[in-house]
Amino acid sequence: MTTSLITGANKGIGFETARQLVAAGHTVWLGSRDPERGRAAARELGARALVIDVTDDASVAAAVRTVEEAGTGLDVLVNNAGIEPRGEDGGPLPALDATADRLRTVFETNVLGPLRVTQAFLPLLRGSDSAAVINLSSGLGSLAGGGGSPYGYPSIEYPVSKTALNMLTVKLAAALPGIRVTAVDPGFTKTDLNRHAGTQTLEEGAAASVREALAGNEGETGTFVSAAGPVPW
């Protein structure tokens, strides 16, 4: 049986990804910073709750020990956890309001989090015959404007973090032969992240992540894709 771990999965796209993978027969570790919310979400789906804060080394190390001790192994890692600063009205923040501290905070979750978690779980992933790492990116991270032009979106922090995550995906793909690493653009989906302003359902937003998770390491590595196909870098 395939085992998947999804970070930030107690709600939104992560939760929907977990739901679909459980339905497909995966053993799913549902990662969440909040133990109670994570346990409630896992119970609802028939998944395994896993406390993990992707910004905290000790939390990630404890999560690795939990999975190791359970003996499930790990085949698919979905780095789904992400944050985006928003204004009081729920809209994106003006570019010139960006601060180094705010950008640093976003990078800690959106870029360093996937690196930290991937590195920590590598021993388990290397034990799989069909290992894959899926990084939740965004069309706003595309320099070509794939999935939504970055030039029309005012905020700096989120798009810049996703562009960095795309490069991280490429570098990890090159460094990890035998493990397929992909960046996924879920599209503009109704989630708490955007105060439910998105135009897609959660099912639509999770489609690319689920497809990549079900494929395992079959297919090209180091790609940037959406449900519709390749996304320009």
Side-chain angles (χ1 to χ4, degrees):
M1 180 177 287
T2 301
T3 299
S4 296
L5 189 163
I6 307 165
T7 63
N10 63 284
K11 62 181 180 178
I13 292 173
F15 180 85
E16 177 59 26
T17 301
R19 186 189 70 78
Q20 293 189 36
L21 290 182
V22 168
H26 282 211
T27 295
V28 173
W29 288 97
L30 188 150
S32 174
R33 288 182 302 174
D34 186 301
E36 292 186 8
R37 291 179 180 177
R39 283 193 293 267
R43 280 196 302 269
E44 181 178 343
L45 298 181
R48 293 176 176 236
L50 183 69
V51 178
I52 182 169
D53 180 346
V54 305
T55 70
D56 184 88
D57 289 334
S59 175
V60 173
V64 172
R65 290 194 297 272
T66 298
V67 176
E68 286 176 336
E69 291 169 3
T72 62
L74 184 63
D75 303 289
V76 177
L77 170 62
V78 183
N79 286 309
N80 173 81
I83 61 172
E84 178 186 14
R86 288 251 167 177
E88 292 183 2
D89 62 353
L93 297 165
L96 296 183
D97 285 353
T99 65
D101 284 343
R102 201 161 63 206
L103 185 61
R104 188 177 296 113
T105 297
V106 173
F107 262 59
E108 189 64 53
T109 296
N110 293 4
V111 184
L112 302 183
L115 175 62
R116 179 180 290 110
V117 175
T118 301
Q119 288 177 325
F121 279 95
L122 267 181
L124 285 170
L125 288 167
R126 283 177 166 143
S128 169
D129 293 329
S130 187
V133 176
I134 299 158
N135 294 325
L136 261 290
S137 184
S138 169
L140 293 174
S142 167
L143 297 177
S149 174
Y151 305 107
Y153 186 83
S155 293
I156 284 178
E157 297 90 347
Y158 186 77
V160 170
S161 74
K162 294 304 184 180
T163 301
L165 180 62
N166 287 349
M167 179 56 76
L168 177 63
T169 298
V170 170
K171 302 305 289 185
L172 287 175
L176 298 173
I179 298 177
R180 191 167 64 95
V181 186
T182 58
V184 165
D185 171 18
F188 191 31
T189 304
K190 296 177 182 179
T191 67
D192 287 352
L193 198 69
N194 56 44
R195 308 285 178 91
H196 299 274
T199 56
Q200 293 186 155
T201 65
L202 288 176
E203 290 82 359
E204 291 169 326
S209 296
V210 171
R211 182 192 64 207
E212 296 302 301
L214 294 176
N217 68 357
E218 295 296 322
E220 188 178 357
T221 192
T223 59
F224 184 22
V225 296
S226 69
V231 178
W233 296 105

